[in-house]
Amino acid sequence: GEMDLDESALSRWYIMQAGVSRLQEDATSFMFGVGIGRFSYEILGRHPKVMFVDAHNQWLLILVENGIVALLSLWLIMAICAFKALILYWITDDPLHRAVAVGYLAGLTGIFISNFFGSPMNSNEIILLHWIMTAVVLRLDVMEREKLYLREVERRRAGWRR
C-alpha cells in the first residue's frame, strides 16, 4: 500500500497517476500530447497530494507533453541506433570500433533507464555527448560497411581473373 513507499516515491506515483489520467481524457492528448512546457499546468490539481510538479520521469514528460507518437518515435530512433551499434560491433575487426560500439550501447542503456527516474535528456552536457556519440557510431557503421563492400568487390574481381 501507500505506507510501504517513502514520501519521494509516493509523490512520483501520484504524479504518474495524474499524468496518465490527463492523457485518458481525450484521444488527441494521448496521441499528440498537451503541448511542450504544459506538464505542470496540466497535472497540478489533478491529485490532492500533488502540490509541486516536476515529472521526475523523462518518458512520462514526453508522453504527456508530446504524446505517444513522439515517445514511440524517440524509442524507435534509439532502437535503430542501438541496432546499428550492434551491427558495428559484429562486422568490425577494429578493436577501437568495437569499444566505441560497446561504450555507446552502455551509455544508451544508461540514458534509457535513468529517464524513468529523472530527466537526463534535459542536461545539455549529457545529451550533447549522446548525440555526438550517436553520430560517431553511425559514421563508423558506414565506414565498416564500405570496407566490407570493397573487400567483396576485390574478391569478385580476383575470381574473374582466374
Side-chain angles (χ1 to χ4, degrees):
E2 290 184 6
M3 294 300 166
D4 298 330
L5 298 174
D6 69 350
E7 190 175 323
S8 174
L10 205 50
S11 75
R12 290 171 190 248
W13 177 250
Y14 294 145
I15 290 168
M16 188 181 71
Q17 285 179 324
V20 169
S21 78
R22 172 59 184 94
L23 291 176
Q24 290 174 335
E25 287 181 5
D26 59 274
T28 303
S29 293
F30 178 73
M31 293 298 292
F32 304 108
V34 297
I36 295 175
R38 302 248 347 124
F39 183 84
S40 312
Y41 302 109
E42 296 290 334
I43 301 307
L44 210 54
R46 289 193 172 273
H47 197 287
K49 297 189 178 181
V50 175
M51 301 300 169
F52 171 76
V53 180
D54 177 28
H56 299 296
N57 181 329
Q58 186 72 35
W59 302 130
L60 177 65
L61 185 68
I62 292 170
L63 180 63
V64 172
E65 289 188 352
N66 305 102
I68 193 73
V69 172
L71 181 62
L72 293 178
S73 296
L74 183 56
W75 282 355
L76 178 63
I77 290 168
M78 292 175 82
I80 289 169
C81 292
F83 184 68
K84 291 283 192 177
L86 281 171
I87 289 173
L88 173 63
Y89 180 81
W90 287 325
I91 68 174
T92 189
D93 52 4
D94 186 326
L96 178 62
H97 293 180
R98 280 188 164 202
V100 168
V102 169
Y104 177 77
L105 287 167
L108 187 63
T109 302
I111 286 175
F112 186 83
I113 291 170
S114 64
N115 273 335
F116 285 105
F117 307 103
S119 299
M121 292 179 82
N122 287 345
S123 167
N124 291 336
E125 297 83 6
I126 292 172
I127 208 63
L128 178 64
L129 287 174
H130 165 69
W131 289 118
I132 288 171
M133 286 305 299
T134 299
V136 168
V137 165
L138 295 178
R139 181 62 187 137
L140 289 175
D141 178 61
V142 169
M143 288 170 47
E144 290 296 330
R145 288 170 185 268
E146 286 173 352
K147 277 198 312 192
L148 289 175
Y149 173 75
L150 292 175
R151 283 184 199 154
E152 181 63 20
V153 167
E154 284 300 316
R155 188 186 68 76
R156 288 184 183 189
R157 282 186 183 160
W160 290 337
R161 291 184 192 139
R162 292 183 188 163

